Amino acid sequence: FFCQPARASHHSAASNSRAAPLLNFASGAFCRMVSSVRRPLLVLAAFAAPLTEAKVQIEAMRHDIQQITMSNFDGIISKFRDSAVSSLWFFKDDNKADIAFLDEYNKVAGDLKGMAKVCAISCTDWPVFCDKQGIKETPAVWIYPINPMPAFKFEGKMESKAISNKISRLILDMSLRLTKDNIDSFVTTDPSKPKVILFSNKKTPPTILKALSSETVFKRTVRFGFATDEDKDIIEKFKVKKFPTVLMQRGAKAETKEIYKGEMTFTGLKDWVNLHSESGMGDKVAGANGGKEESAEEAKPWLVQDVPELTGKSQQDICFKGEGLCVIYLKDGAMTPAETDMLTGLSKKFTSQLSDRGAKMKWMWINLALETEYKKLFDPPVMPSAVVFNPHKRLRFAMMEHGENNELKGDEQSMIKLMDKVLGGDARFKMVPGQKLPSWAMRAASGAGSKKEL
């Protein structure tokens, strides 16, 4: 107030003139004293402000890093060593190198959010714990892989990309590398569990898929598969047009398909998969480090194949149980892709024609080189050939005609003629002797395919 310029007053000019010299002297001295004290205080405050802020401060609203203490280290990291990968940054609050490292380490936490535990602990607050861990200088990052691998100090560049890559490589991959040989078994094994498939133009499963497949609940309730754009048969089967594509197939016969349409993030995919995952269902016994799993639910690839093979295991599902007639293509050995395409086309053609008539035809093939008892039953003059089998009430079948000299091949035209005769009521059916089906060949058990570590 005293240092402000004097304002005009309504008091008498005489009174003001007598007091002015003394008042001006006093106020001037006071103002000079205040000014001389204020300038160093302002300078000191300017230097003091950054000094008070120069420390590592991990804030929940700004950072993805989980700061822990000595007392909860076991509950957050040690307790989950059987299923989760963790990293721990040892820092000192006022160390310049740690202050500079904060943002870099936070990028690691952001990149691996939900997929790995990215933690930090203050050696300023917990010096005894840091000493026990052998921490000599900071910043120091230790990585805790899944048991039984021991924890180790990260020795690479203290950069987010290097640390993230190191942690990502340690995340357990419990997905199955899919091929044309195991895809059908994969989608039909454990029908109570949804199957999630990532179609990618990359060679190896990404970190997101690995983390989803080994997530605590999902590893027991969902099965994950990985296919690349080089797997032409699988890509065509699922009609995949772009990469990456994530598809879920579920249902007792894998009849429900759903494509993920959200952002390709771990959180987004986890929430989507979680809608169809039930905690604790379909438990499996898994070996250490993601070894081969055993399940009580056997694979039934024939449930999703257009033209399945008729065997002792499949015969009830695809022919002898349920409605309709069985169109059985007879082969002396394995069926070729061209034959599969031919039968698939005929199946769709006749299914369309019969849709309004209430009739049903189920298409399949049988390897008579293995099923020798059925070779005796059907006794085809040449192969390939075919029969239409009626499995209801009286067991009987109609054989494809090959001509008087067996000059007619078992090709598409012969198949069409056989179907026309059956549907027209002109086919001659032969009774199964004794009305009892022959015995089936014993087949070696085959799994859904071994897991390939990538």
Side-chain angles (χ1 to χ4, degrees):
F1 173 80
F2 288 104
C3 298
Q4 300 298 317
R7 295 182 179 179
S9 174
H10 295 292
H11 294 288
S12 64
S15 174
N16 286 342
S17 62
R18 285 194 298 271
L22 181 61
L23 182 60
N24 288 340
F25 173 80
S27 63
F30 177 78
C31 289
R32 285 192 294 273
M33 179 183 71
V34 170
S35 178
S36 64
V37 172
R38 188 171 68 174
R39 274 195 296 269
L41 286 174
L42 290 173
V43 173
L44 180 61
F47 281 99
L51 288 176
T52 57
E53 294 178 0
K55 60 182 295 186
V56 176
Q57 291 181 318
I58 299 174
E59 303 173 17
M61 299 299 292
R62 290 181 52 202
H63 302 102
D64 293 311
I65 303 167
Q66 182 178 4
Q67 187 166 354
I68 66 173
T69 66
M70 179 178 72
S71 57
N72 64 14
F73 169 83
D74 288 337
I76 293 175
I77 293 181
S78 299
K79 181 179 178 181
F80 295 95
R81 287 289 306 279
D82 288 332
S83 59
V85 179
S86 305
S87 67
L88 183 60
W89 166 35
F90 296 86
F91 68 88
K92 292 181 179 177
D93 294 4
D94 56 355
N95 182 23
K96 291 182 179 179
D98 285 306
I99 296 169
F101 184 62
L102 172 60
D103 289 340
E104 198 70 21
Y105 191 64
N106 191 55
K107 292 178 185 176
V108 178
D111 291 342
L112 299 177
K113 190 172 184 179
M115 296 179 271
K117 293 175 178 287
V118 181
C119 306
I121 188 168
S122 170
C123 292
T124 303
D125 295 336
W126 308 100
V128 175
F129 178 80
C130 293
D131 288 342
K132 287 184 177 179
Q133 302 300 316
I135 304 302
K136 303 299 182 184
E137 60 181 1
T138 61
V141 174
W142 275 69
I143 297 177
Y144 300 82
I146 294 174
N147 287 326
M149 290 181 63
F152 61 90
K153 182 182 179 183
F154 176 73
E155 299 288 358
K157 289 185 177 181
M158 297 295 275
E159 298 175 355
S160 60
K161 185 176 181 180
I163 299 172
S164 294
N165 288 344
K166 188 67 175 179
I167 297 173
S168 296
R169 285 196 290 270
L170 295 169
I171 295 176
L172 185 63
D173 178 18
M174 296 185 71
S175 66
L176 178 69
R177 178 66 172 85
L178 300 176
T179 67
K180 65 179 181 179
D181 297 322
N182 66 13
I183 181 63
D184 291 335
S185 295
F186 170 76
V187 297
T188 58
T189 301
D190 302 323
S192 63
K193 299 181 181 181
K195 312 303 185 302
V196 177
I197 305 174
L198 170 62
F199 300 92
S200 174
N201 52 9
K202 308 296 183 184
K203 303 297 182 184
T204 57
T207 303
I208 288 178
L209 182 67
K210 291 164 58 178
L212 285 169
S213 71
S214 57
E215 197 269 342
T216 305
V217 174
F218 291 167
K219 69 181 181 181
R220 293 182 288 112
T221 61
V222 183
R223 297 194 70 201
F224 292 84
F226 177 74
T228 73
D229 56 350
E230 295 179 352
D231 301 308
K232 303 300 182 185
D233 293 326
I234 301 178
I235 299 303
E236 184 177 345
K237 181 182 180 71
F238 289 92
K239 297 178 174 59
V240 177
K241 303 297 182 184
K242 65 176 184 177
F243 304 95
T245 290
V246 178
L247 177 144
M248 179 186 292
Q249 194 156 348
R250 59 185 186 275
K253 295 184 178 181
E255 68 276 7
T256 303
K257 295 181 182 178
E258 182 180 345
I259 294 178
Y260 176 68
K261 297 179 180 178
E263 293 185 13
M264 289 292 178
T265 62
F266 176 81
T267 303
L269 281 164
K270 182 182 178 182
D271 291 343
W272 178 67
V273 173
N274 197 48
L275 293 173
H276 305 286
S277 168
E278 296 183 17
S279 178
M281 85 184 223
D283 284 38
K284 287 185 174 183
V285 179
N289 292 320
K292 184 180 179 181
E293 297 177 335
E294 299 296 335
S295 171
E297 299 180 272
E298 190 176 10
K300 292 186 176 183
W302 50 84
L303 294 178
V304 294
Q305 293 169 342
D306 292 325
V307 186
E309 182 182 2
L310 184 62
T311 67
K313 289 184 177 180
S314 70
Q315 47 99 6
Q316 286 290 321
D317 291 328
I318 68 176
C319 180
F320 298 106
K321 183 180 180 181
E323 300 177 352
L325 302 179
C326 306
V327 183
I328 309 174
Y329 188 66
L330 312 180
K331 281 282 294 183
D332 187 25
M335 195 162 64
T336 66
E339 290 171 320
T340 301
D341 292 340
M342 176 194 71
L343 294 173
T344 301
L346 289 173
S347 170
K348 293 177 180 178
K349 176 183 177 180
F350 282 98
T351 298
S352 176
Q353 291 180 3
L354 297 173
S355 59
D356 297 332
R357 297 173 53 180
K360 184 176 181 180
M361 295 288 183
K362 298 178 285 189
W363 295 69
M364 61 208 69
W365 71 283
I366 187 171
N367 185 348
L368 295 184
L370 297 176
E371 301 295 345
T372 55
E373 294 301 313
Y374 281 84
K375 185 175 183 179
K376 294 176 184 177
L377 171 65
F378 297 136
D379 192 24
V382 294
M383 283 194 280
S385 186
V387 298
V388 175
F389 199 103
N390 188 336
H392 309 293
K393 295 183 179 178
R394 292 179 299 165
L395 301 178
R396 57 198 186 276
F397 61 91
M399 173 68 69
M400 174 186 285
E401 295 181 357
H402 292 278
E404 293 183 3
N405 300 314
N406 297 328
E407 71 277 7
L408 299 178
K409 298 180 180 179
D411 55 13
E412 184 172 354
Q413 292 304 315
S414 296
M415 291 291 298
I416 292 173
K417 289 180 181 178
L418 172 62
M419 294 298 297
D420 288 341
K421 277 197 170 187
V422 171
L423 296 174
D426 299 326
R428 290 185 298 175
F429 280 82
K430 181 180 178 181
M431 293 293 179
V432 173
Q435 290 296 288
K436 184 178 180 181
L437 291 173
S439 59
W440 296 93
M442 298 297 293
R443 305 286 187 99
S446 60
S450 58
K451 185 181 185 303
K452 182 179 181 182
E453 296 292 341
L454 295 172

